[in-house]
Amino acid sequence: MVFRHDQIVTATAANQIAEAIQQEIASGRLKVDDRLPTEEELATQFRVSRPTVREALKRLAARHLIRSRRGPAGGTFVNGPSPEEMAQSFSTAATLMVAAGGITLDQMATVRAEMEAICCRLAAEQRSAEHLAGMRAEIALQLSEPLLDEEFCASDVRFHRLIVDAAGNPLLRFLMNAIVEGLLPVSNMIIFRVRDRKTIVDHHIRIADAIEARDADRAVAALNDLVRYVRDQYAAAEKGRLEYASKITSTKGE
Amino acid sequence: MVFRHDQIVTATAANQIAEAIQQEIASGRLKVDDRLPTEEELATQFRVSRPTVREALKRLAARHLIRSRRGPAGGTFVNGPSPEEMAQSFSTAATLMVAAGGITLDQMATVRAEMEAICCRLAAEQRSAEHLAGMRAEIALQLSEPLLDEEFCASDVRFHRLIVDAAGNPLLRFLMNAIVEGLLPVSNMIIFRVRDRKTIVDHHIRIADAIEARDADRAVAALNDLVRYVRDQYAAAEKGRLEYASKITSTKGE
DNA sequence: TATCGTTATTTGTCAAACAAAAAGGGGATT
DNA sequence: AATCCCCTTTTTGTTTGACAAATAACGATA
C-alpha cells in the first residue's frame, strides 16, 4: 500500500491564514516584537471564526514565530529568531528521526566523531586562552578523587563542548549541539559502564596538550584514539550485556 | 524595555497534549503511519474539548509530525521523518540566522567544505558502483560542449550530491542538504563567475578517480584543492567586482 | 457483474459563552 | 501623602454544541 505523499499540507482556511501571517512577517510588514491584532479582529478580518484563527496561530507558535500572553497588555507578538529554540527544535527533530528508524545510532555516532574531529582541528587553530583554561579545569575536576559517575559524565560533556566552542564557529556549534543532544541517552549509558576513567582523562590531556601546542594533527589523532577506545568499551559492554541476558533467560535464578 | 524570554512555551493544556503525543512518537509506542485516536477520543482521553485537541494537533502538524485526512478511513496519522521537509525548515531557519548576523557566510562555507571532506572520505570507503557511474555521467555531461551555465551549475550540484549519497549516511546527507540549501544563493554566484570550467571538471575527475580507487586521502586532497580553487576564484571575482564598482562610481560612462 | 447513489465516519469550521491571567485604576488605610 | 488591596477591563485559553465537507464502504439497481 503506497501512501500518497505529494500533498502533505492541505489548503484549509487555517493553513491559508497561517501562510498569510507568515508572509506578513517574512516581508517585513510585521517586525520583531510587533503586536498583531487580537484574535477577534483577525477573525473578522479573515472572515473566519476565532477557533480557526487560533489554529493558525498555534501553527506559527509551534515554529516559534510568534508568542502570546494573556491580559490587557498581552496579545500575540512577533518573535525574533532565537538560536537556542532553533537548536532545540532541531535536536528534537534529530531524536525523532532516530526513533523512527531513519537513522541508526551507529551512523549518528560516526557523524559525531567526524564532526568533532573538525572541531578539534579548528580548535587547535583558533583556540583562545580562556577555552584552554576551561579544558584544564575540567580535566582537574575529572582527576579529583571522590567523584560521582554523574559528575564525571557532566564534566565530560562540558569538556567536549569546550572543544566545539574553541573552534569558534557558531554553525558548527549549533550542529554539534543537536547531534550530541540526540546521542545523550546513549552516551550516558556508555560512560556509566566505563569504570576506568583514568584512560579517558589521559586522552583528554593529550587532546588539550595538542590544542595548546596548536598541533591540529596530533589533536585529531588523540581524539580518534579516544573515540576508538570508547567504541571498544561500548562493544565489550554490549557483549557482556547480551551474555548476561542469555544467562538469566536459561537459568532464572533470583 | 526588556522582554522576558525565560519561559517562551507556556504549559497550557494544548501544549501538554502536544508534548504527550510527541513523546508517544519519540518513544516508539506510535510508529510511522500508525493512526492515532479520533479527535473526540483524544478529547475524552485527555479530559479536554475537541478544539483544544485540535490546537495540539495543529502544533504537531506544523512540524510535519502528523497528517490528517477526512472521511471514514481518514483520521490523524504519524508521519515518517521526511528529510526534505526537515531540511527545508532547517535551511530557512539557517538563512534567518545568517540574515540576523549570527552566522557569516565564511563560517558556513568552512563548515560545508569540512563536512564534504568527511563525505569524501566515507564515500571512498562505502561507494557503490551506481554512485560512481552517476559521477562519471555527470562529468561526461560537464565536458559536453554546448552547455549553458545553468546546466553546468545544476550538474555540479548533482555531482557533489552524489558524493554525499555515496557516503551512505542519511544523517550526513540531511545535514549537507540543509547547509547546501542555505548556501545556494551564494554558490550560484560563484559558479557563474568562474568561466574556466575545465579546471573544475579536472578536479571532479581527480575526485572520482580517487573514490573509484577507494583512496580516501587522495579524494580528500582533491576536494580540498577544488575548494581552494573555487575560493580563490571567488575572491578574485569579488575584488574585480569592487574595482569595477569603484570605476563606475568615479566615471559614470554610458 | 458493474456502476451508481446512499450512508456512516471523521476532520474542518462556526457560534456563543465562560474561565483565567494580568495590567491599571480607584479607594481605603496607615 | 504614600502604600496596599481590590476591582474592573482586556485579552488569550477553554468549553459546549452544532453543522459542513470529504470520502471510503456498503448496498441497490441496471
Side-chain angles (χ1 to χ4, degrees):
Chain A
M1 201 269 282
V2 179
F3 177 73
R4 302 196 51 78
H5 239 249
D6 36 9
Q7 191 172 1
I8 295 209
V9 59
T10 56
T12 63
N15 286 334
Q16 285 175 347
I17 294 170
E19 287 272 331
I21 297 177
Q22 182 175 345
Q23 278 220 345
E24 290 286 306
I25 297 175
S27 72
R29 279 190 291 277
L30 279 174
K31 294 181 189 63
V32 171
D33 288 339
D34 272 359
R35 175 182 161 175
L36 37 92
T38 69
E39 294 177 350
E40 298 227 7
E41 285 170 341
L42 285 175
T44 59
Q45 206 173 317
F46 285 103
R47 318 281 177 85
V48 295
S49 68
R50 198 159 83 91
T52 305
V53 168
R54 282 182 63 76
E55 285 188 10
L57 293 179
K58 286 297 168 185
R59 282 190 93 92
L60 300 177
R63 296 164 55 194
H64 297 141
L65 265 66
I66 56 174
R67 63 175 182 273
S68 18
R69 263 169 43 206
R70 285 198 271 219
T76 308
F77 300 87
V78 178
N79 258 342
S82 124
E84 306 93 41
E85 291 160 18
M86 260 186 59
Q88 188 184 346
S89 62
F90 185 64
S91 62
T92 60
T95 57
L96 279 177
M97 280 183 84
V98 173
I103 299 175
T104 68
L105 285 172
D106 197 57
Q107 290 168 334
M108 207 153 173
T110 301
V111 173
R112 192 241 207 233
E114 294 284 353
M115 286 188 62
E116 193 163 9
I118 295 176
C119 294
C120 241
R121 195 170 329 117
L122 293 179
E125 299 166 1
Q126 313 254 343
R127 67 153 178 89
S128 70
E130 287 78 30
H131 288 130
L132 195 63
M135 289 163 67
R136 295 294 185 192
E138 294 298 337
I139 289 175
L141 177 62
Q142 290 161 18
L143 283 174
S144 65
E145 210 29 70
L147 195 66
L148 293 178
D149 273 346
E150 293 120 17
E151 290 170 335
F152 183 82
C153 179
S155 173
D156 183 76
V157 169
R158 282 196 303 272
F159 181 82
H160 288 278
R161 188 170 294 242
L162 275 169
I163 296 177
V164 178
D165 288 351
N169 190 314
L171 176 57
L172 210 48
R173 187 195 150 105
F174 173 62
L175 295 174
M176 281 302 290
N177 190 10
I179 294 172
V180 171
E181 285 289 324
L183 272 180
L184 252 190
V186 192
S187 64
N188 272 345
M189 293 204 311
I190 296 176
I191 294 293
F192 267 74
R193 283 177 194 286
V194 177
R195 289 193 230 352
D196 139 11
R197 303 174 183 169
K198 181 85 174 50
T199 316
I200 291 183
V201 181
D202 281 345
H203 281 101
H204 286 176
I205 293 174
R206 277 183 61 202
I207 295 173
D209 287 347
I211 288 180
E212 180 167 19
R214 300 200 183 278
D215 188 337
D217 292 334
R218 226 174 71 209
V220 173
L223 179 71
N224 282 337
D225 288 346
L226 173 58
V227 168
R228 205 170 304 121
Y229 174 74
V230 171
R231 184 170 295 183
D232 289 347
Q233 290 291 320
Y234 178 65
E238 193 75 3
K239 186 157 160 290
R241 207 161 59 87
L242 290 180
E243 282 171 1
Y244 179 72
S246 68
K247 195 179 294 182
I248 62 172
T249 49
S250 57
T251 75
K252 261 224 176 95
E254 188 199 358
Chain B
M1 201 269 282
V2 180
F3 178 75
R4 304 197 48 78
H5 240 246
D6 35 10
Q7 190 172 1
I8 300 255
V9 60
T10 55
T12 64
N15 287 333
Q16 285 176 346
I17 294 170
E19 286 271 331
I21 296 177
Q22 180 176 337
Q23 278 221 345
E24 290 285 307
I25 297 175
S27 73
R29 280 189 292 276
L30 278 174
K31 293 182 189 59
V32 172
D33 287 338
D34 271 359
R35 176 184 160 176
L36 36 93
T38 68
E39 294 178 350
E40 298 244 3
E41 284 170 339
L42 286 175
T44 58
Q45 232 172 35
F46 285 103
R47 318 282 176 82
V48 296
S49 67
R50 198 158 83 87
T52 304
V53 167
R54 282 183 62 77
E55 286 186 10
L57 293 179
K58 287 297 170 187
R59 283 188 84 96
L60 300 177
R63 295 165 53 195
H64 302 267
L65 266 65
I66 57 174
R67 62 177 183 273
S68 8
R69 264 167 45 208
R70 283 197 273 220
T76 308
F77 299 87
V78 177
N79 258 340
S82 128
E84 306 89 36
E85 294 287 342
M86 267 184 60
Q88 187 185 343
S89 62
F90 175 68
S91 64
T92 59
T95 53
L96 265 180
M97 280 184 81
V98 172
I103 300 175
T104 69
L105 285 172
D106 196 56
Q107 291 168 335
M108 211 156 170
T110 301
V111 172
R112 191 241 208 235
E114 294 284 354
M115 288 190 61
E116 193 164 9
I118 295 176
C119 294
C120 240
R121 195 170 332 117
L122 293 178
E125 299 166 1
Q126 313 254 341
R127 68 156 178 85
S128 72
E130 288 77 29
H131 287 131
L132 194 63
M135 289 162 67
R136 295 294 186 195
E138 294 297 338
I139 289 175
L141 177 63
Q142 289 161 18
L143 284 175
S144 66
E145 211 27 70
L147 194 66
L148 294 176
D149 272 346
E150 292 120 19
E151 291 170 334
F152 183 83
C153 179
S155 172
D156 183 75
V157 169
R158 283 196 302 273
F159 180 82
H160 287 279
R161 188 171 294 243
L162 275 169
I163 296 178
V164 178
D165 287 351
N169 190 313
L171 176 57
L172 211 46
R173 187 194 152 108
F174 168 65
L175 295 175
M176 282 302 291
N177 192 5
I179 294 172
V180 172
E181 287 288 325
L183 271 181
L184 252 190
V186 192
S187 64
N188 272 345
M189 293 206 311
I190 297 176
I191 293 293
F192 267 74
R193 285 176 192 287
V194 177
R195 290 194 232 350
D196 163 4
R197 302 176 183 168
K198 180 83 172 54
T199 316
I200 290 184
V201 181
D202 281 346
H203 281 103
H204 286 177
I205 294 174
R206 277 183 63 203
I207 295 173
D209 287 348
I211 289 181
E212 180 166 19
R214 301 200 183 276
D215 188 336
D217 291 334
R218 225 173 72 208
V220 172
L223 178 71
N224 281 337
D225 288 345
L226 173 58
V227 168
R228 206 168 303 121
Y229 175 74
V230 172
R231 184 170 295 183
D232 289 347
Q233 291 290 319
Y234 178 66
E238 192 74 3
K239 185 157 160 290
R241 206 160 61 85
L242 290 180
E243 283 172 359
Y244 179 72
S246 68
K247 195 178 292 182
I248 61 172
T249 49
S250 57
T251 76
K252 264 227 175 89
E254 193 202 7

